[in-house]
Amino acid sequence: MIIALFVFLLLLFLGLIVAVVPGLLVGFAFVAVSGKLSFAARVSLLVALAVGTAALWLCLGETASVLLPLAMLVSFLATLASGAMFLGLEARKRRALRHPAPAWQSW
């Protein structure tokens, strides 16, 4: 009985990885490719891309499956979170310094 529980948890963990990893990669790739667009366009396209990755599960899985909405939700959230994280990191890199260094050093 305990072995069956461990096997179930292992399969659940592997299924979670299968649902999350493609979303993370798509979110990262989108931010890497869409550098020339405005921020509003990037965010709206990221949300549309996250909806698209979640909708792909309808083609891959059985529509009457109990876990299909969960897989769609996990994929949507992974894509959205990954894209938002990389957008934030990119925005932090572009932000100017608040206290610029002086033109000359007073040593």
Side-chain angles (χ1 to χ4, degrees), residues 17-28:
I17 288 174
V18 166
V20 167
V21 169
L24 290 175
L25 293 176
V26 167
F28 172 72

Side-chain angles (χ1 to χ4, degrees), residues 50-73 75-76:
V51 169
T53 57
L56 280 176
W57 284 96
L58 290 174
C59 300
L60 298 176
E62 186 177 323
T63 56
S65 175
V66 175
L67 295 177
L68 183 63
L70 180 63
M72 290 174 66
L73 179 69
S75 178
F76 174 77

Side-chain angles (χ1 to χ4, degrees), residues 12-39:
L12 188 65
F13 180 70
L14 289 175
L16 189 63
I17 288 174
V18 166
V20 167
V21 169
L24 290 175
L25 293 176
V26 167
F28 172 72
F30 171 75
V31 171
V33 170
S34 69
K36 302 261 184 211
L37 297 174
S38 69
F39 182 73

